Amino acid sequence: MLLGATHKTLSVADYGAITTRGRPAKRPVTVVFDGSEAAQRALGVAAQLTRAGAGPLTVLLVADSSAALDALRAQASERLGLQPAEFREAVKQDMSELIRQVQSSRASCLVIGRNEDLLTPDNIERLRRQPGCPVVLVS
């Protein structure tokens, strides 16, 4: 599901049509990765988007403690294989701070797994209004 910049919900397949018009985007595709199954699927979708030319990949590692970040980086790196990615770290971040990080990176899109703790109804509404880029929600 795609939220945000279009002000309507689109399928992930429609996202490719939006991003491939004109010049390819050079801004990063940013994915939130917390190690959950949904985050692993989101990482896979983000990797597909970057391979299709949507931009470089930025993985935002989100954990409850600094100690967990190294394990998350290893897990994401293993899943990506040889695909290059920039890693950023966030400890105990709320949705507002995650959105600020996405905005500061000038992401072309944000890919996030459907995580019930992170995607409350209020946070989904924030994602529809604030990031300044499309948001791909992966189930």
Side-chain angles (χ1 to χ4, degrees):
M1 182 185 315
L2 181 66
L3 304 173
T6 63
H7 298 293
K8 64 180 180 177
T9 301
L10 301 172
S11 71
V12 173
D14 294 331
Y15 179 74
I18 291 170
T19 59
T20 56
R21 288 185 195 139
R23 287 185 355 188
K26 300 286 185 195
R27 299 180 328 180
V29 172
T30 300
V31 60
V32 175
F33 188 77
D34 63 5
S36 67
E37 288 184 31
Q40 290 180 40
R41 289 189 297 274
L43 182 62
V45 169
Q48 287 178 332
L49 290 171
T50 60
R51 286 191 300 268
L57 180 61
T58 298
V59 180
L60 182 56
L61 302 171
V62 178
D64 290 333
S65 68
S66 298
L69 291 171
D70 288 337
L72 282 179
R73 181 186 301 264
Q75 185 181 9
S77 294
E78 181 180 327
R79 183 142 178 98
L80 289 170
L82 296 175
Q83 184 167 355
E86 176 185 348
F87 290 92
R88 295 188 178 185
E89 300 175 348
V91 177
K92 293 187 180 182
Q93 298 294 326
D94 65 7
M95 183 58 72
S96 296
E97 184 56 33
L98 291 175
I99 289 172
R100 278 193 284 280
Q101 287 193 32
V102 169
Q103 289 170 332
S104 71
S105 73
R106 300 181 45 121
S108 63
C109 76
L110 171 64
V111 182
I112 187 167
R114 297 221 23 164
N115 175 327
E116 292 178 9
D117 295 334
L118 193 56
L119 293 177
T120 64
D122 287 342
N123 286 342
I124 290 174
E125 187 57 32
R126 279 190 198 129
L127 288 171
R128 290 178 63 92
R129 292 190 326 261
Q130 295 179 351
C133 65
V135 178
V136 179
L137 297 179
V138 179
S139 294

